[in-house]
Amino acid sequence: MDAVKSLLLIIVGSALVNNIILSQFQGLCPFLGVSKKTDTAVGMGVAVIFVITLSSFVTSLIYKFVLVPLDVTYLQTIAFILVIAALVQFVEMFLKKSVPSLYQALGVFLPLITTNCAVLGAALTNVQSEYGVLESVFNGLGTAAGFTIAIVLLSSIRESIEDNDIPFTFKGSPIVLITSGLMAIAFMGFAGLI
């Protein structure tokens, strides 16, 4: 039961308390760029969930069974980036074949998952926290869930304020940045949760 509790704490902690976007400020490019429509934000969130969770698993295996035994842990960033790039290519090919409308809606932001620092940040956090393979997968899942929660919340807020009477100087990016800042402040309320 303690193992289940520990894994649940990892998920909740990485999704809400240490949200990758609103607490650590990683992955802001797709957060701001893909959050105009909720459908696109959900699609990006699902793609990121898949990539971060799977990359956390694979990078944890590579770190534990290849880099550490060969004493080449200094190559972790390069190895992790290669794994992430391969996974994103897989997701891109899958979406292009299976869900072409989502593939077109995500546009340039889909290949940008490769350079999304949230994906690499999750893999590096797993190493720094000395998580095992299972813990890494759950941390990756929680991190990706937190990314999805943040991007879907912002997209729904952006859709609801789109037709509001906003002063000219705040229209567009300024109101999005203010909204993001207020979301980050709201997520600070989860700090005492764990």
Side-chain angles (χ1 to χ4, degrees), residues 37-47 102 148 151-152 155:
K37 299 288 178 200
T38 304
D39 296 342
T40 310
V42 170
M44 176 60 98
V46 170
L102 179 60
T148 304
I151 197 170
V152 169
S155 68

Side-chain angles (χ1 to χ4, degrees), residues 49-127:
I49 286 173
F50 177 77
V51 170
I52 289 181
T53 304
L54 195 56
S55 71
S56 292
F57 174 70
V58 174
T59 56
S60 180
L61 288 176
I62 288 172
Y63 184 80
K64 185 174 184 177
F65 296 112
V66 177
L67 298 178
V68 170
L70 295 174
D71 196 28
V72 289
T73 55
Y74 56 87
L75 294 175
Q76 70 185 9
T77 304
I78 295 170
F80 293 175
I81 289 172
L82 291 173
V83 167
I84 292 165
L87 289 172
V88 170
Q89 288 301 312
F90 174 73
V91 169
E92 190 172 0
M93 289 186 305
F94 174 79
L95 288 179
K96 189 174 186 179
K97 183 112 176 141
S98 302
V99 193
S101 60
L102 179 60
Y103 174 78
Q104 298 225 339
L106 292 175
V108 72
F109 291 100
L110 188 57
L112 282 178
I113 294 176
T114 303
T115 59
N116 186 347
C117 56
V119 182
L120 181 60
L124 293 175
T125 298
N126 293 334
V127 171

Side-chain angles (χ1 to χ4, degrees), residues 19-30:
N19 186 286
I20 196 83
I21 292 176
L22 300 173
S23 294
Q24 299 177 19
F25 307 112
Q26 297 178 11
L28 291 176
C29 183

